[in-house]
Structure formats: C-alpha cells, structure tokens
Amino acid sequence: MQNLKSFLCGSWQAGSDPQTDLHSATSGAVIAQTSSRGLDLGAALAYGRRVGGPAIRSLTFAQRADLLGKMSAVIVSHRDELLDISELNMGTTRGDGKFDVDGAAGTLAFYAKLGAGLGDRTWLADGDQIQFSRSKRFVGQHVLTPRRGIAIHINAFNFPAWNLCEKLACALLAGLPVLAKPGTATALVSLRLVQLWQAENILPDGVLQLLVGSAGDLLDHVGPQDCIVFTGSGSTGRQIKGHPQVLLYNVPVNVEADSLNASVLGPDVLPNSDVWTMFLSEVVREMTQKAGQKCTAIRRIIVPAERLDEVRAELVARLQDARIGDPGQQGTSVGPVAGPTQQRDVIAGLDALAQHAEIVWQAQGLPTQGCYAPPTLFVTTQGAAARYVHDHEVFGPAATLLPCSGQADEVIEIVARGGGSLAASVYSDDLPWAQAVVLGIAPYTGRVYWGSAKVFDQGCGHGAVMPALVHGGPGKAGGGEELGGERGLRWYWQRTAIQADTQLLRGLVG
Ligand code: NAP
C-alpha cells in the first residue's frame, strides 16, 4: 500500500491519520492512502511566495519556456508508465489515458513555443502608448507584470495530467510559483509527474509544490497577491469564491465548473451524409470517451423532430458496439468511472434523470466488481421546459436527446436553458441557419464547434480543448476562462496603466 506524500516547502511530507483511500477504479480495491492533516499549508504558501516567486520571476519568458519544454519532454519519455498509472487508478483505457497524458505534454509544448517567441523579457507591454489629452508629451501605457503571490491550482479528478499541466503552463510562463492540488481520488498521475520533474531537477526551488489530500485550511492563508484557479463542481467553486479570506483580499478566482454541453443537428443535414456521420460519431465519442467524465462532453443532443427516429436508431446501434469492461483488456472501449464516489454520483444522477426523461437505451451486463456505470441514452420531448435535463450534469456516460422544431430561435432557447456551458457543437452547411444558431448560442457558451461538409475529416472533435483557444464558459460553467494562447497568461498578471513622459515610457517599455 502506497502512502502518498505532499511536496511542500522543498520536502516530501506525510499528513497524519485518518487517511483517505485511493482506489483502483477497475477492481474497487484500495491501492493507496493519503492525508493532508497537520501539514502547514500557510508555511507552504509563504515558501512559494518567498522562494519560488523570485526564482521564476527572475527568468525571462524564453527561460521559463525552456522549463515547460523540459517538463513536456519528461511526460513524453515516461508516457507508458503514466498510462499504466492512469489505468490503475482511474480505470482509463489506453486511448482515454492518452487523451489526458498526451494533452498534458502537448499543452506544455504549445506554451513552450509561445514563450520562446516572447523572448528575453520578464513582463509585457499591453498595447501601444495612448494619448489621452492634447499633449503628446504626457501619455499612457498599459503594462502586464506577474503578481507577487502564489497561484493556487485546485484540480478536478478527471484529468490528473492535463488539468495539472494546462494550468501550470500558463502560471509558470507568466512568472508565478504554484501550489497544485489534484483531486484526491485520482492523484497518482499528478504525483508521479511532480516526482519525475523533480528527479530531473527541472524547476527552481519553491516554484512548484503539490498538495496530495484535502485542501484543509489552505484558503485561510491566501493573500492579496495570490490567485486561485479551480476546476471542479459548481458547488465547490462557490465555496471557494465565498471563502472569507478570498473575499477579504478580493483574491481572483477562476472557476471551470459543471457544464451541460449541447450538440445541435441542423435541419439541412441528410441521413448518411458526411455531416450526419460526423455528428453521430461525435455524440457517441463524447458519451463513451473517458466514460463520459469530460467537462466538455455532450450532455444534450438537439435534433429536428423529423429526424429523431433515425438519429435514435443510429446512436443505439453505435452504442451497442461499445465494449464495456476491464480497460486493460484489448478491445475495451469504455472503462469504469474514476472511483467509488464517482460511481455512486453517476448512478444517482442516472436514476434522477430517469425521473424526468425516458431511457432509450442502457448498457447491460456490466462487470459486477469495480466502479462501472452504464452508458445510457435518454430522450425527452419537453424541449426547453424539460426539468433536470438542463439543470444537473450527470458526470458519466449519459446524454439526452431533445427533439425540437429545428428553428434557430427554439434551438437557441434550448441551449440557453443549460445556464451557460463550456462547449457546444453545431452541424450544418446551411449558412443563414448556422449563422443564426452559432452567434445566437455564443453568449451562452465558451466554445462552439461547427461541423460541416468541408471539414468532416479534419476537425479535432467537440470535446478536445486546444491550448490556442479559450477554455471556459459563462454562468453554470463557472464564468472562467483558461488557455487561449497568451490570453491564458493574463490571468496571472496585474495590468497597470502608467502615465508618464513619452520618451521615458518608451525607455521603460524598450
Ligand atoms: P469537486 O468535488 O468540486 O472537487 C474539485 C477539487 O476541489 C478537488 O481537488 C477537491 O479536493 C477540491 N475541493 C473540494 N472541496 C473543496 C473546498 N472546500 N476547498 C477547496 N478545494 C476543495 O469536483 P470533482 O468531483 O473533482 O469534479 C467533478 C466536477 O468537476 C464535475 O461537476 C465537472 O463538471 C467539473 N469539471 C469541470 C471541468 C471544467 O474544465 N470546467 C473539468 C473537469 C471537471 P478533493 O478531491 O480532495 O475533495
């Protein structure tokens, strides 16, 4: 039995009893334990600010980028080991594990390239000089400098590699030290990554600390120059935003939370066309990849009512082909959910959803041992008026068909009922209809994936988050925004307007 330690204040530290169990999702057996009890988290934050802050800020963007490149290379060279750990802890199939691990390496590599392009600076000018009075002599200039605190990263259980790295890439490149806290249930991959980077001596002291276990009193110690970047459930996000110390210092909190992502089939799309196939493949992939435990997964499938029967029949046929079982066995396409808590939550969510929508199809004959949850397709004819479907995210292999008129206004109303989401997809070649829908749903979603005939074989998929594009969404999705190239760094910076003599400002900015 492994006893997992946290890496704080430059050393590996174990918390005291009672311990929290980590399970194998495939067998349900306890494989490790951890505790953060008794760890001095105030000291860890102070250590990061005092030791890690100056160390990372003293590096140029190009030097920080070099660190990210090395971190990415370590992931690539230990890929198989990381995939094994992911399977052991989370029950991921090889493909599901790669989505997380390769995504982590790719995001670090993307920011390494971006940082190299920012060159030998340690901060940035934001825009050009601004003349704000009749005088050309006394002007203004915005600058972006790294905050002097520590970035606290609190991550969800479902992407222990990618979630750690997408946040780290932006914070480290921006010039902030980090204390990262993975979801406890699946912390093994995050822990191993930090061990590997440490063994290679990549990061200066204090730049990265890892808390394995519950957050404890961590937030009691946040200060006015810190920031918190959180991924997880909406309820935890609200607790963090409302924490007295966070409120006292107006600590910025970025929240990526629950999301009832929608996928819309355009009325122009004919059965058996390329776009039709693309739509069906994406829905099935989103329901089954990582057993539906993706923040961007499609939860609501909006189709023209006259196509409902064909869509339903084709989705069921494809879902029936999914092989659910031990992720270590060749041919398995859907593994268990990440652990016993997640299994309990998903099954409770499926039961609740079944009170408000009809089950079209549900997988049968699942393994009795391990944390399995049955892929389930629902349907409701209630559209925007449907209850539960638009309000509660079942974070597993489930989605609901919503037939409607297909009119742009009705589609927009149904998408909007989700209260704000991370991603939506629209499938159509009818420009006026698609234009109305894409722009109509844009205020309710952080990213819109528009599938059409010319890109049917080129798209990266509804659920894939690209580091060059923003990830986040309004309302229920947390109101946050991460990644998006350089946009993802600005979160860690203070934007300051400097008013001064034109020549002196030019000298400052260089
Ligand atoms: P969660 O229970 O909210 O936990 C998320 C993280 O917050 C974990 O590290 C958890 O630690 C920590 N945490 C819990 N209570 C806390 C508190 N009071 N103060 C500080 N930290 C606290 O969510 P989850 O079960 O891991 O993830 C599932 C949810 O995340 C789903 O609803 C999904 O929609 C959402 N999600 C969103 C995105 C996105 O990008 N928007 C991505 C993935 C998941 P412990 O593990 O130690 O409890």
Side-chain angles (χ1 to χ4, degrees):
M1 170 88 61
Q2 285 191 69
N3 203 299
L4 311 182
K5 294 181 179 168
S6 295
F7 187 64
L8 302 172
C9 300
S11 67
W12 291 97
Q13 302 182 18
S16 54
D17 287 346
Q19 305 284 322
T20 301
D21 292 337
L22 279 75
H23 297 81
S24 151
T26 312
S27 69
V30 177
I31 50 170
Q33 290 189 319
T34 193
S35 165
S36 58
R37 214 180 166 89
L39 300 178
D40 190 342
L41 302 182
L45 293 184
Y47 181 79
R49 293 182 202 110
R50 191 181 75 252
V51 178
I56 190 81
R57 284 196 301 274
S58 70
L59 303 179
T60 65
F61 287 116
Q63 288 169 326
R64 295 172 203 162
D66 187 50
L67 302 180
L68 300 184
K70 288 179 175 150
M71 290 163 79
S72 175
V74 165
I75 299 179
V76 173
S77 61
H78 290 81
R79 185 175 186 240
D80 284 339
E81 180 193 351
L82 293 164
L83 293 176
D84 288 345
I85 297 171
S86 177
E87 184 193 319
L88 169 73
N89 192 177
M90 302 183 66
T92 47
T93 63
R94 208 78 181 159
D96 290 349
K98 285 181 197 167
F99 195 66
D100 184 31
V101 170
D102 293 351
T107 303
L108 284 167
F110 172 88
Y111 275 98
K113 196 168 168 200
L114 189 149
L118 294 175
D120 292 333
R121 305 189 60 102
T122 57
W123 56 276
L124 287 183
D126 177 28
D128 298 326
Q129 285 192 355
I130 298 166
Q131 188 183 331
F132 49 82
S133 69
R134 289 173 69 181
S135 164
K136 288 189 177 166
R137 183 101 217 134
F138 196 65
V139 296
Q141 169 75 57
H142 292 102
V143 298
L144 300 163
T145 55
R147 300 173 70 83
R148 294 296 169 120
I150 182 166
I152 298 168
H153 291 170
I154 300 177
N155 295 329
F157 71 83
N158 59 337
F159 281 103
W162 175 80
N163 211 191
L164 176 74
C165 293
E166 53 104 12
K167 287 186 172 64
L168 273 180
C170 293
L172 298 183
L173 189 56
L176 263 78
V178 173
L179 184 144
K181 191 204 113 40
T184 303
T186 61
L188 281 183
V189 173
S190 305
L191 173 65
R192 187 63 190 136
L193 280 170
V194 174
Q195 288 171 339
L196 290 167
W197 293 327
Q198 213 213 351
E200 299 279 336
N201 215 3
I202 295 175
L203 294 168
D205 278 354
V207 167
L208 175 59
Q209 301 180 80
L210 186 78
L211 173 60
V212 185
S214 98
D217 66 355
L218 178 68
L219 300 185
D220 293 347
H221 306 287
V222 293
Q225 284 284 309
D226 299 338
C227 62
I228 301 171
V229 186
F230 167 78
T231 301
S233 63
S235 62
T236 308
R238 287 188 287 280
Q239 278 183 50
I240 293 173
K241 276 185 173 168
H243 188 285
Q245 192 78 358
V246 170
L247 293 173
L248 177 67
Y249 289 121
N250 288 306
V251 177
V253 183
N254 190 70
V255 172
E256 303 288 351
D258 316 338
S259 183
L260 287 143
N261 312 295
S263 188
V264 185
L265 180 68
D268 61 301
V269 180
L270 296 174
N272 302 319
S273 63
D274 287 341
V275 183
W276 172 268
T277 306
M278 186 186 191
F279 163 76
L280 294 171
S281 307
E282 281 301 309
V283 170
V284 172
R285 174 161 54 181
E286 292 300 308
M287 284 182 70
T288 53
Q289 189 173 44
K290 288 184 89 0
Q293 301 165 103
K294 282 186 348 200
C295 51
T296 49
I298 295 167
R299 309 290 179 198
R300 300 176 299 151
I301 313 160
I302 302 168
V303 296
E306 71 267 20
R307 299 271 183 243
L308 176 65
D309 290 346
E310 288 153 293
V311 170
R312 182 164 52 187
E314 293 219 28
L315 285 179
V316 169
R318 285 165 186 251
L319 286 166
Q320 276 169 339
D321 282 345
R323 290 226 349 235
I324 305 156
D326 184 337
Q329 300 237 319
Q330 220 168 11
T332 297
S333 54
V334 187
V337 293
T341 309
Q342 289 71 29
Q343 182 189 33
R344 191 196 60 217
D345 289 352
V346 173
I347 292 192
L350 292 174
D351 289 346
L353 190 48
Q355 304 296 311
H356 301 280
E358 182 193 328
I359 294 179
V360 172
W361 177 84
Q362 184 163 59
Q364 304 294 322
L366 267 51
T368 47
Q369 267 202 329
C371 307
Y372 291 88
T376 310
L377 181 66
F378 294 86
V379 68
T380 174
T381 53
Q382 302 295 305
R387 293 178 55 212
Y388 200 85
V389 175
H390 304 290
D391 299 318
H392 297 274
E393 181 190 31
V394 180
F395 203 60
T400 305
L401 279 160
L402 289 137
C404 71
S405 67
Q407 300 281 325
D409 285 353
E410 192 185 357
V411 167
I412 295 163
E413 189 192 357
I414 296 175
V415 173
R417 264 290 277 120
S421 60
L422 296 170
S425 45
V426 175
Y427 295 87
S428 174
D429 275 299
D430 176 348
L431 182 58
W433 180 89
Q435 192 173 32
V437 170
V438 169
L439 297 178
I441 64 175
Y444 305 101
T445 188
R447 179 166 60 81
V448 180
Y449 182 86
W450 181 354
S452 62
K454 291 233 166 83
V455 294
F456 93 99
D457 59 348
Q458 289 171 26
C460 51
H462 162 112
V465 175
M466 311 306 289
L469 302 178
V470 292
H471 172 61
K476 196 179 284 170
E481 189 178 283
E482 292 182 287
L483 300 172
E486 210 177 300
R487 293 176 186 87
L489 275 64
R490 300 201 172 194
W491 180 251
Y492 298 96
W493 284 335
Q494 175 62 40
R495 178 183 287 112
T496 304
I498 301 183
Q499 295 163 281
D501 167 73
T502 313
Q503 292 307 326
L504 289 178
L505 259 185
R506 283 217 179 99
L508 178 83
V509 170

